[in-house]
């Protein structure tokens, strides 16, 4: 991520004419191009490396792209922007199906007695998911899709008649994202513990704001170090909760793979208790905000 940020900073600086304030339209490519390159690199790695890291990196990269397209939504064709963000979500979900098995395997490994019997079957299921992920990403032609999306967005922005100050634009989009996060935090703070959706909304909104701060940090007015620190806390605590919820759901949806195994009940019992613990921890963090 730091390497990507350095690339973005350098390209933004190179695109700024001497003595002129850069516009959001002219700076878009300096943000988007490194992300597109990185996503393509990750997609290629998925086909050569079956380990969890490339899949996780690809999913994160696609989520960052989706957030960037959201940030520039006011300057882009609404219909095209919506379709593009849906595409990024679809590709991230394709990578995520295998990543979800990786997380479940990692969690089950915490109980050696259960992991010893369940892991071989989980690894087998993970192999099937990986084959599907690879096929989906290959058929989608990720490289061409992302490069075409970048070209279209660039063309639209570069031919726009009006120009918006990058700093003012970035400040407004970050402020909009901050307001959205505050609303979701308030809603989740009053929600019942069983209402995981409210907690999940906080996580998604917090992640989007964090990405925006990382994109625009060099040009934003004022300091955002305090809010960024809080966002890291949200992502860590709510991400841990999401891992448990997703793993419990994945195991329940694939009970046929482990039919007749008492270890499945033990695993579900552990996941259920861990979910409650992590839900309390997430709720505790909200009370401090």
């Amino acid at each position: 991520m730091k390497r990507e940020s350095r690339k973005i900073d350098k390209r933004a600086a190179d695109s700024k004419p001497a003595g002129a304030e850069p516009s959001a339209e002219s700076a878009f490519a300096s943000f988007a191009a490194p992300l597109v390159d990185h996503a393509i690199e990750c997609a290629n790695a998925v086909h050569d490396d079956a380990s969890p890291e490339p899949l996780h990196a690809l999913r994160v990269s696609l989520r960052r792209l989706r957030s960037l397209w959201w940030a520039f939504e006011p300057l882009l064709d609404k219909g095209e922007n919506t379709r593009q963000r849906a595409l990024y979500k679809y590709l991230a979900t394709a990578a995520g199906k295998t990543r979800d098995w990786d997380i479940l395997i990692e969690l089950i490994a915490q109980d050696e007695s259960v992991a010893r019997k369940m892991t071989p079957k989980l690894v087998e299921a993970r192999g099937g998911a990986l084959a599907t992920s690879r096929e989906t990403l290959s058929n989608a032609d990720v490289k061409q899709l992302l490069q075409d999306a970048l070209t279209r967005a660039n063309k639209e922005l570069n031919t726009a008649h009006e120009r918006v100050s990058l700093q003012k634009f970035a400040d407004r989009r970050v402020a909009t994202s901050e307001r959205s996060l505050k609303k979701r935090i308030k809603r989740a703070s009053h929600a019942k513990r069983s209402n995981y959706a409210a907690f999940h909304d906080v996580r998604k909104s917090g992640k989007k704001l964090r990405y925006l701060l990382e994109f625009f940090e060099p040009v934003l007015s004022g300091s955002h170090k305090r809010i960024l620190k809080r966002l890291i806390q949200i992502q860590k605590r709510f991400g841990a909760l999401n891992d448990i919820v997703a793993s419990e759901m994945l195991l329940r949806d694939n009970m046929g793979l482990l039919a007749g195994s008492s270890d499945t009940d033990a695993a579900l019992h552990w996941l259920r208790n861990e979910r409650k613990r992590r839900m309390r921890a997430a709720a505790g963090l909200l009370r401090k905000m």
Side-chain angles (χ1 to χ4, degrees):
M1 185 177 296
K2 290 182 179 179
R3 184 182 67 179
E4 286 181 42
S5 297
R6 286 196 294 270
K7 286 182 181 179
I8 290 171
D9 292 350
K10 184 178 185 301
R11 293 194 189 192
D14 291 343
S15 66
K16 180 179 178 180
E21 182 181 6
S23 68
E25 291 84 354
S26 63
F28 172 77
S30 67
F31 296 111
L35 294 179
V36 166
D37 290 344
H38 187 252
I40 293 172
E41 180 183 330
C42 292
N44 291 335
V46 167
H47 291 282
D48 302 323
D49 188 348
S51 67
E53 287 74 21
L55 284 160
H56 178 61
L58 175 59
R59 185 159 65 164
V60 171
S61 188
L62 289 165
R63 285 173 173 171
R64 286 167 62 82
L65 277 169
R66 191 164 181 246
S67 295
L68 183 65
W69 253 252
W70 177 88
F72 279 83
E73 181 180 28
L75 306 181
L76 293 168
D77 176 77
K78 185 175 181 181
E80 175 63 20
N81 184 279
T82 299
R83 286 190 293 272
Q84 199 57 45
R85 286 164 54 205
L87 172 63
Y88 295 147
K89 183 177 182 180
Y90 168 76
L91 295 175
T93 299
K97 289 183 182 299
T98 304
R99 178 59 184 163
D100 289 343
W101 284 105
D102 289 327
I103 293 171
L104 175 58
I105 291 170
E106 291 171 7
L107 289 169
I108 293 298
Q110 296 182 39
D111 188 325
E112 292 185 8
S113 61
V114 174
R116 193 180 307 115
K117 298 178 180 179
M118 289 186 63
T119 298
K121 292 185 178 180
L122 296 178
V123 170
E124 182 180 353
R126 192 261 186 194
L130 176 61
T132 301
S133 293
R134 282 174 165 171
E135 182 179 6
T136 301
L137 294 171
S138 178
N139 290 340
D141 193 356
V142 173
K143 180 179 180 179
Q144 193 64 49
L145 283 173
L146 298 188
Q147 289 180 339
D148 286 349
L150 176 59
T151 299
R152 288 195 301 272
N154 248 339
K155 181 178 180 181
E156 181 180 356
L157 292 169
N158 288 331
T159 56
H161 296 296
E162 297 182 4
R163 287 290 184 267
V164 181
S165 159
L166 175 59
Q167 183 183 69
K168 291 181 179 178
F169 177 78
D171 283 341
R172 286 201 301 265
R173 295 307 281 161
V174 167
T176 298
S177 188
E178 284 182 325
R179 288 194 297 271
S180 177
L181 175 59
K182 289 178 181 178
K183 289 180 181 178
R184 282 160 175 73
I185 288 176
K186 184 177 181 180
R187 187 179 302 135
S189 298
H190 296 91
K192 296 180 179 179
R193 293 284 174 83
S194 58
N195 185 5
Y196 171 69
F199 285 75
H200 189 52
D201 285 344
V202 170
R203 174 175 170 266
K204 291 190 296 183
S205 187
K207 186 174 294 186
K208 180 190 293 181
L209 176 56
R210 181 181 176 183
Y211 290 156
L212 262 61
L213 290 176
E214 290 171 349
F215 295 148
F216 296 135
E217 189 273 334
V219 299
L220 290 173
S221 59
S223 174
H224 292 77
K225 290 183 178 180
R226 180 176 295 181
I227 182 65
L228 187 57
K229 183 178 179 180
R230 290 181 179 177
L231 291 173
I232 292 173
Q233 291 177 321
I234 288 176
Q235 191 165 336
K236 183 177 180 180
R237 185 116 11 133
F238 282 68
L241 171 60
N242 183 70
D243 286 349
I244 284 290
V245 173
S247 293
E248 185 179 2
M249 186 180 302
L250 182 64
L251 190 55
R252 290 187 183 279
D253 289 344
N254 292 274
M255 292 291 284
L257 296 174
L258 304 164
S261 173
S262 59
D263 297 308
T264 306
D265 293 334
L268 286 171
H269 179 73
W270 182 84
L271 288 169
R272 183 169 58 253
N273 288 339
E274 187 65 13
R275 169 169 48 83
K276 293 178 180 178
R277 186 185 73 79
R278 295 189 186 189
M279 186 75 85
R280 288 194 297 269
L285 181 61
L286 287 179
R287 288 194 293 271
K288 296 178 182 179
M289 293 185 172

